[in-house]
Amino acid sequence: MGEQTFALNRRARHEFTIDDTFEAGLVLTGTEIKSIRAGKANLADAYVRIDRGEAWLIGMHIAPWETANRTNHEPKRTRKLLLHRAEITQLLSKTKQKGQTMVPLRLYITGRGRCKVEVALARGKQLHDRRRDIADRDARR
């Protein structure tokens, strides 16, 4: 059994030029993983920030689990990403370059049942770049 994708950030590929991608684990609670498996996660407004030597996923929405009681999770809480120290140091140096940012592309569960996030190191596109992409797409049709 392979990976199963549960959330995509389609807007990220439209608004950013992807330079590099990497995989990061995600610290979740029990009700969060149940909601993700039910397909109730959204990466649309999410981004990644490195703070005090740790990577954090900010703005991802995971809907509350319907049958949970008072132990239910906060839908938009900040979630910790699991990366090696060397990866965090490398990403921090790359994001300090002009125009570099980190955005999540997809949320998936591996064949071993681990929840992962594909994060991209990206540069924001200018308006004229977006128009050129649309014109190229229309020309191919």
Side-chain angles (χ1 to χ4, degrees):
M1 189 160 129
E3 323 181 317
Q4 248 185 321
T5 301
F6 287 96
L8 286 173
N9 190 355
R10 291 188 175 107
R11 204 168 74 187
R13 291 200 187 269
H14 178 72
E15 293 179 359
F16 296 97
T17 301
I18 308 299
D19 292 334
D20 193 16
T21 61
F22 55 96
E23 178 183 77
L26 194 57
V27 177
L28 298 170
T29 64
T31 56
E32 287 175 329
I33 193 68
K34 288 179 179 184
S35 288
I36 288 171
R37 287 183 188 274
K40 303 205 185 253
N42 188 356
L43 291 172
D45 297 325
Y47 62 96
V48 177
R49 176 177 286 160
I50 296 177
D51 189 27
R52 291 177 295 215
E54 295 180 333
W56 300 92
L57 181 61
I58 301 167
M60 180 174 77
H61 183 271
I62 299 176
W65 184 242
E66 301 90 25
T67 59
N69 53 14
R70 66 178 180 264
T71 61
N72 217 339
H73 64 274
E74 178 67 30
K76 281 215 169 212
R77 78 176 181 91
T78 301
R79 294 166 180 92
K80 186 175 181 179
L81 293 177
L82 302 173
L83 293 165
H84 291 281
R85 176 75 48 214
E87 289 176 321
I88 292 174
T89 306
Q90 179 185 13
L91 290 170
L92 189 58
S93 68
K94 286 184 178 180
T95 55
K96 290 195 180 203
Q97 295 175 5
K98 186 177 179 215
Q100 294 281 331
T101 188
M102 290 182 292
V103 291
L105 295 178
R106 71 182 179 120
L107 180 70
Y108 61 97
I109 296 181
T110 64
R112 297 180 65 189
R114 307 278 190 226
C115 189
K116 304 280 185 175
V117 178
E118 183 179 10
V119 179
L121 192 61
R123 286 176 285 119
K125 285 185 182 178
Q126 300 295 322
L127 183 60
H128 57 84
D129 292 334
R130 291 186 208 159
R131 287 184 183 148
R132 187 177 308 127
D133 288 346
I134 292 169
D136 290 344
R137 185 190 67 214
D138 291 344
R140 281 181 273 169
R141 287 186 182 175

